[in-house]
Amino acid sequence: MTRARSRCAVCDRPLKTGRGRPCVRSCGARLCRSTHIPLCTDVHGGQCPNLQLPPEMP
């Protein structure tokens, strides 16, 4: 039985064993280090469920 490969949370590319960057906000998402534009870390930054937005001004 083989283990399923992990995939990038944004672009769905397969990640090699030990590769990929974890989300800096600790949501558990693995992101690829590919150099395509826009970077997956930038795209995921605005979609992360752990994103803390500042309170709105009245």
Side-chain angles (χ1 to χ4, degrees), residues 24-37:
V24 296
R25 294 186 182 101
S26 302
C27 72
R30 302 292 296 172
L31 306 168
C32 71
R33 298 175 186 229
S34 182
T35 58
H36 57 274
I37 305 293

